[in-house]
């Protein structure tokens, strides 16, 4: 996983900003750092779940402790093997009444040979608005949203999604930083807080090492109602009556092969073994043993999404 990189950027003197009566800067919590944080809705998959089809996971970028940045250039990138696609600004991403063309989410820039290039211009003193009125001041609201595609057959491993911090050299010889933020005046100084660029990781696990079959919790070679009951018993012991630490309750799934049972019981690969997994096991059993329909796990899970 990529380490968090602490980058220092600056703006002009805050006192000059505060001198504009119509413009109000957000209050930055003392000792906290402004952060651009990438997040995905699911962080773990299995090789088995990717055997028959691609997986697509929704993601977003959030801005924490917004400090009055009025423009930024960022690139959302990923490790080779997975793809960030279908990206765009969350609505609204700009101030009402401003020229939307100033804010660009480019899926692919031929000029710079990068994907997911974001150019955003926020409020200025001339707008006569408060920084607190902009969507980026809401830490619970996504700034941009995107999908992450994990292709069918992706190998086990950890795949990072991150903000690209390279500087490209243009044909003119000028450096073009892919990660750049500006203050109100578009200048560099010493008053703007440091900025954290926080990525995230999707892990593809190979549960075949446990020599188990996805959904066959009791390792009897069948996927049936008994397996679903084992998952429900585990859920009750761990998440209803227990402390939610799943590793401590593996024997509730199968006392003889707890590690195998634990690996194959999370059939939807959402990193929690619960009623959703039990229901999917029952549906798999119904399709295969009652309806004689050889539906795959990927197809079955896709019907639920």
């Amino acid at each position: 996983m990529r380490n968090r990189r602490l980058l220092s950027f600056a703006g002009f003197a805050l006192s000059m900003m505060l001198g504009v009566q119509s413009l109000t800067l957000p209050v930055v919590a003392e000792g906290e750092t402004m952060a651009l944080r990438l997040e995905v809705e699911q962080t773990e998959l299995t090789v088995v779940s990717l055997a028959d089809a691609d997986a697509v996971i929704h993601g977003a970028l959030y801005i924490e402790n917004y400090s009055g940045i009025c423009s930024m250039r960022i690139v959302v990138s990923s490790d080779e093997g997975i793809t960030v696609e279908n990206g765009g600004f969350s609505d609204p991403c700009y101030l009402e009444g401003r020229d939307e063309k100033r804010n660009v989410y480019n899926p692919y820039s031929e000029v710079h040979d990068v994907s997911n290039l974001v150019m955003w211009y926020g409020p200025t003193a001339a707008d006569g608005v408060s920084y607190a009125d902009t969507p980026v001041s809401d830490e619970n609201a996504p700034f941009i949203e995107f999908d992450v595609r994990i292709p069918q057959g992706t190998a086990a491993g950890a795949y990072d999604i991150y903000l690209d911090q390279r500087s490209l050299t243009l044909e003119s010889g000028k450096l073009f930083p892919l990660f750049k933020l500006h203050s109100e005046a578009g200048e560099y100084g010493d008053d703007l807080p440091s900025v954290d660029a926080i990525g995230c990781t999707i892990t593809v696990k190979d549960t075949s090492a446990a020599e188990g079959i996805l959904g066959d919790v009791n390792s009897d070679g069948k996927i049936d109602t008994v397996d679903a009951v084992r998952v429900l018993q585990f859920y009750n012991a761990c998440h209803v009556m227990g402390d939610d630490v799943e590793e401590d309750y593996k024997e509730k799934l199968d006392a003889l092969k707890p590690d195998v049972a634990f690996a194959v019981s999370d059939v939807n690969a959402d990193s929690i073994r619960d009623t959703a997994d039990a229901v999917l096991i029952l549906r798999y059993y119904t399709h295969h043993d009652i309806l004689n329909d050889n539906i795959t796990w990927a197809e079955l899970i896709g019907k639920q999404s």
Side-chain angles (χ1 to χ4, degrees):
M1 180 185 292
R2 296 176 181 271
N3 295 326
R4 286 175 60 167
R5 302 178 178 87
L6 186 63
L7 308 174
S8 294
F9 301 91
F12 75 120
L14 291 179
S15 59
M16 292 179 65
M17 283 186 175
L18 296 173
V20 181
Q21 187 174 3
S22 61
L23 188 65
T24 304
L25 281 172
V27 177
V28 179
E30 184 178 357
E32 294 189 13
T33 301
M34 179 177 167
L36 305 186
R37 174 176 55 84
L38 292 165
E39 185 175 292
V40 291
E41 292 182 345
Q42 185 177 342
T43 59
E44 290 187 359
L45 296 167
T46 65
V47 170
V48 172
S49 68
L50 292 167
D52 301 303
D54 295 357
V56 178
I57 300 173
H58 190 66
L61 181 142
Y62 296 86
I63 299 180
E64 301 175 346
N65 201 35
Y66 176 58
S67 58
I69 292 293
C70 76
S71 69
M72 66 180 76
R73 177 168 63 236
I74 58 176
V75 170
V76 181
S77 192
S78 62
D79 283 347
E80 184 177 356
I82 64 175
T83 306
V84 175
E85 60 185 23
N86 302 324
F89 290 105
S90 297
D91 187 28
C93 67
Y94 44 80
L95 297 176
E96 185 176 355
R98 298 199 68 180
D99 185 357
E100 300 177 22
K101 294 180 181 178
R102 297 188 67 199
N103 299 289
V104 177
Y105 193 118
N106 193 344
Y108 177 71
S109 171
E110 293 184 0
V111 175
H112 308 100
D113 191 25
V114 294
S115 299
N116 305 296
L117 173 63
V118 180
M119 308 281 287
W120 177 81
Y121 295 87
T124 66
D127 291 315
V129 299
S130 168
Y131 276 92
D133 293 335
T134 65
V136 293
S137 65
D138 183 357
E139 296 186 1
N140 297 313
F143 177 60
I144 59 175
E145 297 181 72
F146 51 85
D147 290 327
V148 182
R149 181 174 296 275
I150 302 93
Q152 176 184 356
T154 296
Y159 299 87
D160 291 333
I161 304 155
Y162 56 94
L163 296 175
D164 198 329
Q165 296 174 33
R166 293 175 298 154
S167 288
L168 306 181
T169 302
L170 305 180
E171 290 184 1
S172 63
K174 181 179 179 181
L175 284 179
F176 184 84
L178 296 179
F179 189 97
K180 191 171 185 179
L181 287 76
H182 283 130
S183 66
E184 162 67 16
E187 300 172 353
Y188 293 103
D190 298 322
D191 298 305
L192 199 64
S194 299
V195 179
D196 274 346
I198 306 172
C200 59
T201 301
I202 294 175
T203 303
V204 178
K205 295 183 177 180
D206 186 359
T207 57
S208 64
E211 298 181 354
I213 300 171
L214 190 65
D216 182 15
V217 180
N218 65 350
S219 297
D220 66 352
K222 299 179 293 183
I223 300 171
D224 54 22
T225 56
V226 176
D227 301 300
V229 170
R230 292 283 184 95
V231 174
L232 291 175
Q233 291 172 336
F234 172 88
Y235 174 76
N236 182 67
C238 178
H239 297 291
V240 178
M241 306 299 295
D243 58 9
D244 293 328
V245 181
E246 291 198 341
E247 289 279 349
D248 296 341
Y249 295 84
K250 291 190 288 188
E251 290 191 357
K252 294 292 183 181
L253 291 166
D254 186 25
L256 296 178
K257 295 183 177 181
D259 290 330
V260 174
F262 191 74
V264 302
S265 56
D266 182 18
V267 295
N268 61 1
D270 65 353
S271 302
I272 185 172
R273 290 137 189 89
D274 55 13
T275 55
D277 297 294
V279 169
L280 282 169
I281 290 173
L282 288 174
R283 288 177 175 168
Y284 187 93
Y285 165 74
T286 300
H287 277 278
H288 281 256
D289 289 62
I290 298 177
L291 302 178
N292 292 318
D293 173 16
N294 292 322
I295 190 172
T296 65
W297 278 113
E299 291 169 341
L300 182 61
I301 293 170
K303 289 178 179 291
Q304 315 306 313
S305 59

